[in-house]
Amino acid sequence: MAIRPEYRKFYGAEWQRYRIVLLDACGWTCSVCGRHVERYLNLAHTHHDPKSSPVAPMCAACHASADAPHALAVRRRNWSKSVGQLWLLDDIKWDPYPQWL
C-alpha cells in the first residue's frame, strides 16, 4: 500500500538509515518465505500502525499477501461509507486508521 500523506513525516532520512541497518542485520532475507532479496525488500509494519507497530523484512510478494486483508477491509469500509452504510462484519478488526488518530 502507498504511504498515506499524514504518515510521510515518519519516513524521513532517519527512517532510511534505520531501514538499511535492519535489512543488513537480517541479511536481506524475507522473514516469511526465507528468500534472499537484493532489491525491493520491504520493512513491513506487522499491525498497520506506523507509530507503534514492529516491522519485519518481507519481499514484495509476502508484503502484498500480508497487507491483503487490511487493504480489502479499507476498500469495503470506504465503499460502505460512500453509500451511507455501516460495515459490521468480522473484518472490522482491520481498522483503516490507528486508534491514536
Side-chain angles (χ1 to χ4, degrees):
M1 295 180 87
I3 298 173
R4 293 183 185 151
E6 62 267 22
Y7 293 162
R8 291 205 187 272
K9 62 186 172 193
F10 296 115
Y11 298 100
E14 184 178 335
W15 167 257
Q16 295 302 324
R17 287 189 297 271
Y18 177 65
R19 178 183 178 275
I20 295 299
V21 168
L22 288 179
L23 292 176
D24 285 340
C26 77
W28 293 81
T29 304
C30 178
S31 64
V32 178
C33 67
R35 185 173 49 180
H36 180 76
V37 181
E38 289 293 328
R39 297 178 63 190
Y40 307 117
L41 187 65
N42 302 317
L43 283 181
H45 291 281
T46 57
H47 301 298
H48 303 288
D49 184 356
K51 199 171 184 182
S52 63
S53 172
V55 294
M58 291 185 196
C59 65
C62 292
H63 192 182
S65 295
D67 279 353
H70 177 73
L72 177 62
V74 170
R75 280 195 306 276
R76 286 180 172 176
R77 281 183 167 212
N78 288 341
W79 176 82
S80 296
K81 185 177 178 182
S82 73
V83 295
Q85 295 180 353
L86 182 60
W87 189 260
L88 295 174
L89 293 178
D90 288 337
D91 63 1
I92 198 133
K93 64 184 177 184
W94 299 98
D95 289 332
Y97 299 102
Q99 297 298 321
W100 51 268
L101 278 180

